[in-house]
Amino acid sequence: AHIAEDNSDLLQHVKFQSSNFENILTWDSRLEDTSGMVYSIEYKMYGEAEWLAKEGCQRITQKSCDLTAETGNYMEFYYARVIAVSAGGRSATKMTDRFNPIRHTTIKPPEVTCIPKVRSIQMIVHPTPTPIHARDGHRLTLEDIYDLSYCLELHVNDTYQMHLGGKQREYEFFSLTPDTEFLGTITMDAHQLSKQSAPYVCRVKTLPDRTWT
Amino acid sequence: GQEFRFGPCQVKGVMLRELQEAFWAVKDTVQAQDNITSVRLLQQEVLQNVSDAESCYLIYAMLKFYLNTVFKNYHNRTVEFRIMKSSSSLANNFIVIMSQLQPSQEDEMLSISESAHRRFLLFRGAFRQLDIEAALIKAFGELDILLAWMEKFYQ
Amino acid sequence: AGALAAPQNLSVHSTNLKHLLRWSPVVVPGGTVSYSVEYQGEYESLYASHIWIPSSRCSPAVGPECDVTDDITANVQYNLRVRATLGSQTSAWSTLEHPFHRNSTILTPPGLDVTKDGFHLVIELEDLGPQFEFLVFYWRRESGAKEQVKTVRRGGIPVHLETMEPGAPYCVKAQTFAKAIGRHSAFSQADCVEVQGEALPLAL
C-alpha cells in the first residue's frame, strides 16, 4: 500500500494579512533550513472550479505574495493556496481559510490634522485611499466602502474626556484652557461590521492667551 | 433601535451584530470542514439585484429552509460546544425574524414572489446536488454570505 | 444511599440584561455537590426538543447560582434546567417552571455623578457594558430654558457634557437604553451644579 508522504513540515500558517484592503498572502515553514525551497501561488474566487496561477509568484523563494489586485472585489470570497517544493523534490500544498476582504481587512489609523488654537483644538480627518479602483477607474476610499463614522476623544488632564463624533470630516473642541497640553485620539468605526480602526493619536498644546499682555 | 426592512416587511428585536459575531466565532472551524471550494450554494444569481419587493419573499424562503433543514440536521451532527452555542443563537434569532415576516399573498405580487422563488430554487437545487453531509456543512458555512446580504436591509 | 435529590425552586433574577438562574442547594452531609445547567431556546424546543445546550459558565457550577447572560442571545423564550452531581451520582433534571424571556429584565435608572472642572460640566455614568447606551438630558435652571439631550455610548468614564456660563445652576438626569430589547429605564434623580465666577474682564 502506498503510504502518503507527510510533508506538512514544509508549509504552515498560510493566510491573508490584510489592512486597508492591501491583501498579502503569507506563510512559513517548520523547517529550520528552507534554502532551495520554492513556492508557487494560486488563487480563485469561492465557487470557481479553476485555480489561477498568480503571475510573479511562481517558484519564488520569499514567503509572501501580494494578491491585492487579484482579490479586488471586496464583497467577494476568495481562496489562495501555496505549493511548496523542496530542493529534494518533496512538495506540499496548503490553502487559506475563506477570505472576505470587507470583513477581514483591518483598518489602519485615519490621517488627521490637529490644529491648536488659543481656546480650542480643530481636527480635520482626511479620506483614506485604498488600492481598490471603481469601474470608472477612480480609487475608492474607506469612506466609499464602509458606512464609517468618526469617534474623537480629547483627554483633559487625565480626569475626563470630551467626545465628538459623526460622519463629517471637521471637528473642533471648544472652551479649552489656553497654553495647556491635551491628548486627542481619533478612530474610525464601521459600526455594522463591529470593526474599528486603530486610533490616531495627537498630543497638542493650546496657544498662550496674549489678549491682555 | 435598529431594524430590518425587507421591502414592506419590517423586523425589530434582532441585533445584526449579535448574529455576525455568533457566526464569526465559529466561521473558520465550520468553513474548514467544507473542502468543496468549487461549489457555492448562494451564488450571485441567487442574491444579486434582489428588489425590495422580492426581498421579503426570498428571506422568508431562505430562513424557513435554514430552520427546517440546515440547523435541524446540523445540530444533530455537531457536538462541539462552541458550534452548538453559535448555531442556537443564529437559529433563535432567525425564529424572531420569521415570526415577524408576513410576505403579501396578493395576486398582483405573484410575479414578484415567483421571481424570488426561482432564486430560492437555484439555491436549493445546488444544495440537493451535494451529498447531504457536505451540503449541510456548506450551507452552514455560507451563513456569512447570507448575513452580508441581509445587512443591506438593516437600518 | 437513596437517589440524589434534584435541585428545587428554580428562578431567574434578571437586572439590566444580566440573568442569574438560582435554585435551592442540594445538601448532602460530608459531600460536595456540584450542578450542571443547560438551556434551549424556542428553536430547539420547536424543531429539536431533544437538544439541550450546556451553559457557557456553569457546566459545572459549584454554588446554587448560574450566570446565563451569555446563553440568552435572542428575544425568544428560553427553557433552563439544572441537575446535581455528587461523585458518580447525578440527580434528575429540574426545569424552570416558566420559560424566561430577556424582555422581562428589570432596567434600573443609571448611577450618575455630576461634577465640574472650571466652566466644564462633567458627568460619569455607571458602566453597564456594551448592551447599553445612555440618554442624558440637561438644562439650565432658569425660566424659559430648553432641555438638551445627548447620547452617551458607554459608561465608566467621566465625559464633558457642556460648557457652563455663570449665573444659574445646570441640572442633569439620565436613562439607559437597552439596545437588544429596545427598552428604556426610568430616569435617574436629577443632579445640579453651578459654576461661580465672573465674566471675563473687559480690555483696558
Side-chain angles (χ1 to χ4, degrees):
Chain A
H2 168 70
I3 298 175
E5 208 179 3
D6 174 20
N7 295 331
S8 59
D9 56 334
L10 300 184
L11 265 180
Q12 60 178 1
H13 307 148
V14 177
K15 59 186 175 191
F16 279 97
Q17 309 259 24
S18 175
S19 66
N20 285 14
F21 294 101
E22 205 178 327
N23 308 325
I24 313 297
L25 182 67
T26 64
W27 59 92
D28 58 46
S29 169
R30 282 212 302 272
L31 297 181
E32 293 288 329
D33 173 17
T34 57
S35 57
M37 186 83 82
V38 291
Y39 307 99
S40 298
I41 309 310
E42 294 178 338
Y43 66 94
K44 68 173 180 178
M45 213 182 268
Y46 171 51
E48 299 290 329
E50 298 302 317
W51 286 93
L52 306 172
K54 158 67 180 169
E55 249 176 72
C57 292
Q58 299 303 307
R59 302 185 62 79
I60 57 175
T61 54
Q62 74 270 20
K63 298 188 177 72
S64 71
C65 171
D66 187 339
L67 287 173
T68 298
E70 288 74 17
T71 53
N73 183 338
Y74 55 82
M75 292 296 287
E76 266 306 334
F77 297 78
Y78 296 94
Y79 282 98
R81 68 181 181 185
V82 181
I83 301 133
V85 180
S86 73
R90 291 198 301 141
S91 77
T93 301
K94 259 211 175 101
M95 191 170 70
T96 62
D97 285 331
R98 194 178 300 170
F99 173 66
N100 179 220
I102 194 166
R103 236 163 259 291
H104 281 105
T105 204
T106 57
I107 305 178
K108 291 181 187 170
E111 271 308 313
V112 181
T113 306
C114 294
I115 307 166
K117 301 179 182 176
V118 177
R119 289 182 180 282
S120 70
I121 294 173
Q122 188 182 13
M123 294 185 182
I124 302 171
V125 186
H126 305 287
T128 309
T130 72
I132 298 173
H133 291 84
R135 282 204 184 93
D136 61 7
H138 86 276
R139 275 176 77 174
L140 296 183
T141 66
L142 286 180
E143 287 75 5
D144 296 323
I145 295 170
Y146 293 110
D147 176 19
L148 274 186
S149 53
Y150 304 107
C151 305
L152 298 90
E153 292 172 1
L154 194 70
H155 299 250
V156 184
N157 51 43
D158 286 340
T159 54
Y160 62 94
Q161 299 173 12
M162 300 176 81
H163 287 173
L164 290 174
K167 294 184 189 288
Q168 71 272 23
R169 276 203 221 296
E170 294 199 13
Y171 300 86
E172 191 158 355
F173 289 99
F174 290 101
S175 63
L176 303 179
T177 309
D179 200 20
T180 305
E181 188 166 270
F182 295 90
L183 175 72
T185 62
I186 302 97
T187 53
M188 294 190 283
D189 194 343
H191 186 67
Q192 210 80 316
L193 295 173
S194 325
K195 283 176 99 64
Q196 196 172 50
S197 73
Y200 174 90
V201 179
C202 67
R203 194 174 286 276
V204 282
K205 193 170 189 177
T206 47
L207 307 180
D209 184 356
R210 304 200 190 287
T211 316
W212 311 110
T213 49
Chain B
Q2 291 178 297
E3 60 188 30
F4 284 106
R5 289 265 180 89
F6 297 105
C9 301
Q10 196 180 5
V11 174
K12 290 178 184 285
V14 173
M15 306 267 287
L16 179 59
R17 229 169 127 153
E18 273 184 345
L19 297 189
Q20 290 164 334
E21 283 160 5
F23 180 75
W24 267 65
V26 294
K27 166 192 166 317
D28 289 343
T29 306
V30 168
Q31 289 179 351
Q33 297 166 0
D34 175 8
N35 40 39
I36 311 173
T37 60
S38 56
V39 172
R40 172 170 163 168
L41 304 179
L42 288 169
Q43 314 148 41
Q44 303 201 346
E45 297 79 4
V46 178
L47 295 179
Q48 216 162 43
N49 307 323
V50 175
S51 68
D52 264 4
E54 239 181 306
S55 62
C56 190
Y57 297 99
L58 184 55
I59 191 63
Y60 188 87
M62 293 302 299
L63 297 192
K64 191 173 174 188
F65 183 84
Y66 265 87
L67 289 170
N68 285 314
T69 304
V70 178
F71 286 116
K72 188 170 185 177
N73 295 292
Y74 195 80
H75 242 356
N76 295 331
R77 283 166 170 71
T78 180
V79 286
E80 201 196 309
F81 164 66
R82 270 179 341 117
I83 295 179
M84 278 179 84
K85 188 175 152 44
S86 286
S87 169
S88 174
S89 181
L90 288 157
N92 280 291
N93 275 288
F94 279 9
I95 288 265
V96 176
I97 297 172
M98 281 286 285
S99 66
Q100 297 176 55
L101 291 176
Q102 274 147 15
S104 155
Q105 303 305 322
E106 285 157 22
D107 289 346
E108 70 254 25
M109 298 297 283
L110 192 59
S111 65
I112 290 174
S113 68
E114 281 174 349
S115 166
H117 192 56
R118 280 193 298 275
R119 289 175 183 273
F120 170 70
L121 292 181
L122 255 179
F123 162 79
R124 196 180 63 181
F127 182 91
R128 287 183 172 171
Q129 289 199 345
L130 297 175
D131 148 79
I132 184 65
E133 295 289 335
L136 288 169
I137 287 169
K138 186 172 279 297
F140 194 91
E142 290 191 5
L143 273 168
D144 53 358
I145 300 176
L146 184 62
L147 291 173
W149 176 73
M150 290 167 69
E151 193 186 311
K152 295 176 189 167
F153 304 91
Y154 196 64
Q155 303 165 10
Chain C
L4 186 61
Q8 299 301 315
N9 308 317
L10 274 64
S11 61
V12 175
H13 303 258
S14 177
T15 305
N16 293 332
L17 286 176
K18 184 177 174 67
H19 322 305
L20 294 179
L21 175 65
R22 290 197 179 116
W23 57 88
S24 305
V26 173
V27 180
V28 175
T32 304
V33 175
S34 66
Y35 305 90
S36 294
V37 175
E38 293 184 344
Y39 68 93
Q40 64 175 199
E42 211 166 305
Y43 170 74
E44 284 78 21
S45 52
L46 288 175
Y47 289 77
S49 55
H50 61 289
I51 286 186
W52 289 81
I53 299 161
S55 168
S56 312
R57 297 184 187 217
C58 314
S59 290
V62 182
E65 178 179 288
C66 171
D67 183 339
V68 294
T69 304
D70 292 344
D71 304 322
I72 311 291
T73 56
N75 289 328
V76 295
Q77 301 280 19
Y78 278 85
N79 291 319
L80 294 155
R81 69 180 186 181
V82 188
R83 74 177 170 188
T85 301
L86 174 65
S88 60
Q89 278 186 289
T90 52
S91 75
W93 289 102
S94 282
T95 303
L96 188 64
E97 192 181 345
H98 303 295
F100 171 72
H101 194 299
R102 65 180 177 181
N103 211 7
S104 64
T105 194
I106 296 166
L107 295 179
T108 60
L112 169 65
D113 187 26
V114 181
T115 57
K116 60 187 177 190
D117 177 280
F119 288 92
H120 285 184
L121 174 58
V122 177
I123 62 166
E124 181 168 353
L125 289 149
E126 179 182 2
D127 185 359
L128 291 172
Q131 295 260 40
F132 287 87
E133 282 178 352
F134 302 88
L135 287 174
V136 180
F137 295 77
Y138 59 98
W139 62 97
R140 190 174 151 90
R141 201 166 68 195
E142 61 183 1
S143 65
K146 250 186 66 185
E147 195 174 66
Q148 312 276 337
V149 59
K150 267 187 185 171
T151 299
V152 176
R153 295 252 177 257
R154 64 183 199 278
I157 47 167
V159 174
H160 165 271
L161 187 61
E162 181 63 286
T163 299
M164 299 184 280
E165 289 173 15
Y170 284 72
C171 298
V172 185
K173 66 180 181 181
Q175 64 178 166
T176 66
F177 176 65
K179 296 183 272 189
I181 55 176
R183 276 181 48 212
H184 293 90
S185 73
F187 277 106
S188 63
Q189 203 70 32
D191 196 359
C192 305
V193 289
E194 183 164 358
V195 64
Q196 307 305 329
E198 57 295 332
L200 284 174
L202 293 177
L204 297 178

